Amino acid sequence: MIELGTQSDIKLINEEGLRNDGRKFNELRPIRIEVGVLNRADGSAYIEWGGNKVLVAVYGPREAFPKHTQNPSRAIINARYNMAAFSVDERKRPGPDRRAIEISKVISEALEVAVFTEQFPRTSIDVYIEVLQADAGTRIAGLTAASVALVDAGIPMKDMVVGCAAGKIDGKVVLDLNKEEDNFGQADLPMAIIPRTDEIVLLQMDGNFSREELEQAVELSKKAATYISNLQREALMAKYKSQESEKEGERSE
Ligand code: CDP
């Protein structure tokens, strides 16, 4: 019989202080963001974050339906987080479950702080987050891509929301847990911030941290957020630069 590992017998940090994928404690997994990947959505983005692959489509602001959901003084943000059946090792049963409902709610609330919703009364802004491949950290990857897709849709915001997570493995606080670290570690702290105002708009915790560890985890994620925020901007710039060069090409033909 194969013995499954337990928290105590799986070592996640080696003698050289490196993690199972070779990262140092304060290193992120590779992140790649692409903007405007869907023609029929008002805005869209695709993100690869380590082993996560997430697609986001934004529609709106458009008249909110059913009418009783309309807010006369502002837009409502409807984020819908969904995991594809093939996104995880064991087939995920299609449709919303408690986890997806919770994640959709916290993402909607985080985005609501950033978007100038009061400019669009009675409307909804619908944000579809489709997780195609999951490897821990999908909510923050989805949220990071959702912000970019909102900009692509031309929706005015204070700043883009950046998601990041830190956790605890082998008793050490580290940045951005992968799936194995998430499974066998002691804690995970997904959070999201608005860099320009330094507001924390999402903070959840799974497991236990001491007060000191919690502060370290927040610090690690905050530092990483500055880097991720630049990636979001670069992805947007890349889209507009390629549109410009396409136009130039057409003009010279
Ligand atoms: O993805 P995130 O870390 O935001 O959320 P989580 O609930 O902490 O889930 C961690 C990971 O567990 C996911 O990214 C998936 O890789 C995995 N998972 C799964 O295999 N099957 C599910 N039904 C839900 C999550």
Side-chain angles (χ1 to χ4, degrees):
M1 199 174 88
I2 300 168
E3 286 277 312
L4 288 179
T6 62
Q7 287 199 355
S8 54
D9 63 17
I10 293 217
K11 237 179 120 32
L12 296 167
I13 301 181
N14 70 16
E15 289 71 29
E16 283 125 57
L18 297 178
R19 297 154 67 179
N20 60 6
D21 53 10
R23 280 183 294 155
K24 298 192 192 103
F25 78 99
N26 60 351
E27 256 182 276
L28 284 167
R29 291 174 284 178
I31 301 174
R32 185 175 80 83
I33 307 172
E34 216 175 307
V35 184
V37 289
L38 301 170
N39 290 342
R40 294 191 227 307
D42 295 326
S44 60
Y46 170 69
I47 190 165
E48 286 181 0
W49 183 320
N52 295 308
K53 296 184 178 180
V54 186
L55 192 58
V56 180
V58 167
Y59 291 86
R62 57 187 179 183
E63 191 180 358
F65 275 109
K67 278 209 159 169
H68 69 82
T69 62
Q70 292 183 356
N71 184 321
S73 52
R74 61 176 187 84
I76 46 173
I77 308 242
N78 280 326
R80 199 205 61 169
Y81 167 101
N82 181 54
M83 267 185 146
F86 50 80
S87 65
V88 287
D89 283 337
E90 295 217 350
R91 178 180 179 276
K92 153 83 176 57
R93 206 164 156 236
D97 51 17
R98 285 170 61 108
R99 177 177 171 276
I101 293 167
E102 171 214 312
I103 296 177
S104 301
K105 180 175 188 289
V106 293
I107 291 180
S108 299
E109 288 170 355
L111 293 173
E112 235 163 48
V113 185
V115 173
F116 291 121
T117 53
E118 64 284 357
Q119 293 187 13
F120 308 101
R122 301 188 188 283
T123 67
S124 73
I125 296 169
D126 302 310
V127 183
Y128 295 93
I129 300 169
E130 299 291 332
V131 178
L132 307 177
Q133 188 173 289
D135 193 60
T138 56
R139 77 193 64 202
I140 49 147
L143 182 51
T144 302
S147 303
V148 178
L150 284 166
V151 174
D152 188 42
I155 292 169
M157 284 190 279
K158 283 185 201 173
D159 192 4
M160 284 181 279
V161 178
V162 183
C164 196
K168 186 161 70 164
I169 55 170
D170 290 1
K172 211 170 173 305
V173 177
V174 300
L175 188 64
D176 187 27
L177 302 189
N178 63 31
K179 181 76 170 73
E180 194 185 15
E181 294 174 329
D182 185 84
N183 283 359
F184 301 108
Q186 294 97 51
D188 188 22
L189 186 89
M191 68 180 247
I193 72 163
I194 299 180
R196 237 189 78 203
T197 55
D198 213 24
E199 284 166 280
I200 294 180
V201 291
L202 180 151
L203 188 66
Q204 299 188 286
M205 188 162 87
D206 197 6
N208 291 307
F209 283 108
S210 68
R211 195 193 168 97
E212 209 173 69
E213 288 167 344
L214 181 71
E215 280 167 11
Q216 281 173 25
V218 169
E219 245 353 270
L220 274 180
S221 282
K222 274 195 170 180
K223 273 202 189 128
T226 312
Y227 170 77
I228 300 164
S229 169
N230 282 331
L231 294 182
Q232 289 175 314
R233 274 164 226 282
E234 280 166 19
L236 284 158
M237 293 295 284
K239 178 187 165 182
Y240 295 110
K241 273 193 191 138
S242 74
Q243 275 184 346
E244 273 306 302
S245 49
E246 265 171 39
K247 273 188 206 153
E248 293 224 332
E250 279 165 24
R251 264 183 243 132
S252 61
E253 266 169 24

